[in-house]
Amino acid sequence: MTVARTRPGSSTAPTPTGHPLLGSALDLRRDPLGTFVRAQREYGDVVRMTAGPPGLRTVMYCVFSPEGAQQVLATQATNFRKDNVFYEEIRQTGGNGLLTSQDDVYLRQRRLIQPLFTKKRVDGYAATITGEAEATAERWRNRPEVDVVREMDRLALRTVARVLFGADVETAVDVINSNFPVISAYITGRAYSPLRLPRTWPTPSNRRAEEATRAVYEVCDRIIAARREERREKRRYR
């Protein structure tokens, strides 16, 4: 699913009734995935959803089909903007990276990482991906039950980290696994809230999110520093 803000003049998509005052805000806060699944089932592949009271309402268009996602993210990307509250909350937390950037900044960032995703490089990732999948399956073998969502998050994170950094990143995975849910819940909560307190206020949620974000940044900085040192060592002994 993609969430996009269209340019003026776009057609209106079907909209779930929701709460008379708050629209789908309560449903999205309680069960975002279930709300999106029901919206697609009942209204189709493009659904207009509202969250919040009039005057403070967030409006989003949810695109559920693969063809629609391709249009939004690739073939017709210039017709859509990342100017909505969701992307802004992500920017405020994680910076203006490839997920949230657009226009010239996006093109510059995409070109920077493009060498990592040539066909030859992607083919070379197969062994890493297979190894991580086999290790995950082996770890599950004697467990009576498994938290599949958490385990899949961990598998994806380990695989991406090993592909990008080429090292054992178990510590980083533990830090990110324990802190990212806090960050994600914070971003989602702020995005769906009609009133967003300043992030600088020392509220419990602001402080938890700040601590979690700092922990993730610190472990990423350590990985980057270690990789740079490895490269310096290689150049030194050539």
Side-chain angles (χ1 to χ4, degrees), residues 116-134:
L116 293 171
F117 298 99
T118 61
K119 184 180 186 304
K120 183 177 180 180
R121 293 291 293 270
V122 171
D123 288 344
Y125 301 151
T128 299
I129 296 170
T130 302
E132 288 296 337
E134 290 175 347

Side-chain angles (χ1 to χ4, degrees), residues 99-171:
L99 174 63
T100 57
S101 64
Q102 51 194 350
D103 303 325
D104 292 341
V105 175
Y106 171 78
L107 290 175
R108 185 170 64 252
Q109 292 176 339
R110 190 182 72 178
R111 289 168 185 151
L112 180 66
I113 69 165
Q114 207 157 14
L116 293 171
F117 298 99
T118 61
K119 184 180 186 304
K120 183 177 180 180
R121 293 291 293 270
V122 171
D123 288 344
Y125 301 151
T128 299
I129 296 170
T130 302
E132 288 296 337
E134 290 175 347
T136 298
E138 183 63 29
R139 194 171 65 251
W140 291 358
R141 197 172 300 281
N142 297 318
R143 290 188 181 183
E145 60 182 33
V146 172
D147 184 339
V148 175
V149 173
R150 188 172 182 82
E151 286 291 319
M152 289 295 96
D153 286 345
R154 186 182 186 84
L155 172 61
L157 180 59
R158 279 192 59 89
T159 303
V160 170
R162 288 182 66 85
V163 164
L164 294 179
F165 297 105
D168 185 1
V169 290
E170 192 64 46
T171 301

Side-chain angles (χ1 to χ4, degrees), residues 13-204:
T15 305
T17 304
H19 188 277
L21 181 62
L22 300 177
S24 297
L26 298 179
D27 292 332
L28 288 168
R29 286 181 68 94
R30 284 193 295 257
D31 182 15
L33 179 58
T35 301
F36 290 134
V37 169
R38 288 191 299 273
Q40 181 191 25
R41 185 182 301 125
E42 296 174 13
Y43 297 95
D45 286 337
V46 180
V47 181
R48 177 180 180 272
M49 303 190 77
T50 63
L56 297 171
R57 179 162 292 173
T58 297
V59 178
M60 55 185 168
Y61 290 82
C62 304
V63 181
F64 298 104
S65 69
E67 297 80 8
Q70 175 74 8
Q71 291 178 13
V72 172
L73 299 175
T75 58
Q76 298 181 27
T78 55
N79 293 328
F80 302 89
R81 306 295 299 166
K82 299 176 181 178
D83 297 328
N84 60 43
V85 64
F86 300 95
Y87 283 112
E88 184 56 33
E89 287 298 331
I90 297 172
R91 286 188 194 97
Q92 290 294 322
T93 299
N96 194 27
L98 195 63
L99 174 63
T100 57
S101 64
Q102 51 194 350
D103 303 325
D104 292 341
V105 175
Y106 171 78
L107 290 175
R108 185 170 64 252
Q109 292 176 339
R110 190 182 72 178
R111 289 168 185 151
L112 180 66
I113 69 165
Q114 207 157 14
L116 293 171
F117 298 99
T118 61
K119 184 180 186 304
K120 183 177 180 180
R121 293 291 293 270
V122 171
D123 288 344
Y125 301 151
T128 299
I129 296 170
T130 302
E132 288 296 337
E134 290 175 347
T136 298
E138 183 63 29
R139 194 171 65 251
W140 291 358
R141 197 172 300 281
N142 297 318
R143 290 188 181 183
E145 60 182 33
V146 172
D147 184 339
V148 175
V149 173
R150 188 172 182 82
E151 286 291 319
M152 289 295 96
D153 286 345
R154 186 182 186 84
L155 172 61
L157 180 59
R158 279 192 59 89
T159 303
V160 170
R162 288 182 66 85
V163 164
L164 294 179
F165 297 105
D168 185 1
V169 290
E170 192 64 46
T171 301
V173 171
D174 287 341
V175 170
I176 295 174
N177 252 351
S178 60
N179 288 284
F180 194 77
V182 176
I183 298 170
S184 180
Y186 178 72
I187 291 172
T188 302
R190 286 182 61 86
Y192 290 140
S193 175
L195 296 174
R196 287 175 285 278
L197 298 177
R199 287 170 173 255
T200 54
W201 288 14
T203 64

